[in-house]
Amino acid sequence: MPKITEREKVAERLLTASAKHSFDPDTELDWDAPFEDGKWYWPPELLSLYGTPLWKHMSQEQRIALSRHEGASIASMGIWFEVILMQLLARHIYALDPTSQHVRYALTEVADECRHSMMFGRLVKKSATPVYRPSRLNLNLGRILKTYATTPGAFTGTLLVEEILDWMQRLTFPDERVQPLVRGVTRIHVVEEARHVRYAREELTRQMTTAPRWERELTRLTSGEIARVVAGSLISPQVYTAVGLDPAHAMAQVKASGHRRDVMLQSAKRLVEFLEDIDVLRGPGRRLWRASGLLA
């Protein structure tokens, strides 16, 4: 019998967890229930303008409206990120053994991400907001990433999105100030993304050990650019226009906000520690990480 590798053992455990803890958002959540008056759509402390001078002059209704639009922006960008991730996973397994547990779990994760993207889309529609999209530049950078990223680069990008959103959503789903539907969506995402994070961490650790030097160096550089794109895309500037604010003025206040800077640093803290451990955060890419606001 062939030796069962650690990669296969991890995949087997993740497949077992998937069988026990997977959800169908269409039946798990009450999509027909109306939103509750006075409740937030995203925790106020996680909103981009929280604690700024502009925030102090906004009415409570305007603040809650901002939470609805920022929540929709994060969900919209989440769909964009996950569509890229599904393509990266498909590329990763393209030439691998289709009978392996590793490939089987990758396909299970693609199925999870399909459900998540449909769930986020349904939430945006229910919120009656625009579908917020990345800038044309970032949209095209995403096209390049999904087409040309190295395998370790793909898993670094995957973790960037998953771990930042996971940190925010772990604060959201237990928060009784937040709309029940939003809490339900974030709960499902947190439970299922925990498996995705484990899969990506295990594979990235393996790749940073076995990949050729040029690939490791390219991963270090591109990870910084991915960090910049991800951090800069979460909140579309159009959300400020939607709630009656001047976007240039609002973005200037966000940029100057110490609270917002701390939120972004905290969101990436666990990921940064992991990437430091596996020697990703060095060289020119580290400067790009600092420019993204995700690394002090």
Side-chain angles (χ1 to χ4, degrees):
M1 293 291 291
K3 182 180 178 181
I4 299 176
T5 64
E6 184 61 26
R7 180 194 244 183
E8 286 291 272
K9 291 177 183 177
V10 169
E12 181 65 43
R13 290 195 291 270
L14 294 175
L15 285 165
T16 300
S18 297
K20 292 179 179 178
H21 303 292
S22 292
F23 304 93
D24 180 355
D26 287 340
T27 57
E28 185 78 18
L29 302 173
D30 186 358
W31 294 98
D32 294 326
F35 286 124
E36 298 181 18
D37 291 340
K39 287 207 168 184
W40 299 88
Y41 296 77
W42 202 244
E45 296 82 4
L46 298 184
L47 298 178
S48 60
L49 287 172
Y50 182 85
T52 63
L54 185 55
W55 177 267
K56 294 179 174 63
H57 289 91
M58 294 168 65
S59 67
Q60 185 70 353
E61 292 76 13
Q62 197 175 25
R63 292 171 178 175
I64 290 176
L66 180 66
S67 78
R68 181 165 61 92
H69 285 271
E70 289 204 10
S73 178
I74 291 170
S76 299
M77 298 303 173
I79 296 169
W80 175 50
F81 295 143
E82 292 193 335
V83 168
I84 293 174
L85 169 57
M86 286 186 270
Q87 294 178 71
L88 291 173
L89 281 170
R91 282 183 51 207
H92 171 59
I93 65 174
Y94 179 75
L96 299 182
D97 178 1
T99 67
S100 69
Q101 299 293 68
H102 183 75
V103 169
R104 184 180 165 204
Y105 179 74
L107 293 171
T108 300
E109 183 169 329
V110 170
D112 289 345
E113 300 295 17
C114 282
R115 292 195 307 275
H116 295 170
S117 295
M118 291 187 288
M119 176 174 69
F120 290 158
R122 196 167 181 182
L123 179 62
V124 171
K125 187 173 183 178
K126 173 83 172 178
S127 300
T129 66
V131 176
Y132 291 104
R133 301 187 185 279
S135 68
R136 180 170 295 183
L137 172 61
N138 287 343
L139 188 66
N140 287 324
L141 287 173
R143 292 185 194 278
I144 295 171
L145 169 67
K146 70 182 180 60
T147 305
Y148 296 108
T150 63
T151 299
F155 281 104
T156 304
T158 296
L159 286 170
L160 258 163
V161 175
E162 290 180 339
E163 298 219 24
I164 290 172
L165 290 181
D166 181 76
W167 181 85
M168 294 182 178
Q169 290 176 338
R170 285 180 184 273
L171 296 176
T172 302
F173 80 79
D175 192 336
E176 295 184 357
R177 300 172 300 171
V178 175
Q179 296 286 349
L181 179 62
V182 175
R183 294 174 63 196
V185 166
T186 54
R187 177 182 62 85
I188 288 174
H189 200 245
V190 163
V191 171
E192 298 190 341
E193 287 294 320
R195 302 190 293 267
H196 303 176
V197 168
R198 174 68 187 280
Y199 183 78
R201 279 185 171 230
E202 292 279 345
E203 192 60 27
L204 180 57
T205 300
R206 189 177 298 112
Q207 293 287 336
M208 287 301 291
T209 302
T210 60
R213 180 177 178 180
W214 71 265
E215 198 168 16
R216 298 196 302 272
E217 291 295 339
L218 183 59
T219 296
R220 293 181 180 112
L221 180 62
T222 57
S223 74
E225 179 61 10
I226 296 169
R228 186 197 66 78
V229 170
V230 169
S233 297
L234 285 176
I235 305 301
S236 168
Q238 296 172 20
V239 303
Y240 307 120
T241 304
V243 298
L245 300 174
D246 175 66
H249 180 55
M251 290 171 65
Q253 297 222 350
V254 171
K255 186 176 181 180
S257 171
H259 176 80
R260 185 60 178 177
R261 184 163 52 252
D262 289 344
V263 165
M264 296 307 292
L265 287 172
Q266 285 299 314
S267 73
K269 183 174 184 292
R270 184 168 172 266
L271 172 61
V272 164
E273 290 173 351
F274 168 70
L275 295 179
E276 291 273 25
D277 287 345
I278 62 171
D279 203 26
V280 171
L281 298 182
R282 65 181 175 88
R286 191 178 183 93
R287 291 194 291 273
L288 289 169
W289 269 88
R290 286 203 177 99
S292 76
L294 298 175
L295 177 66

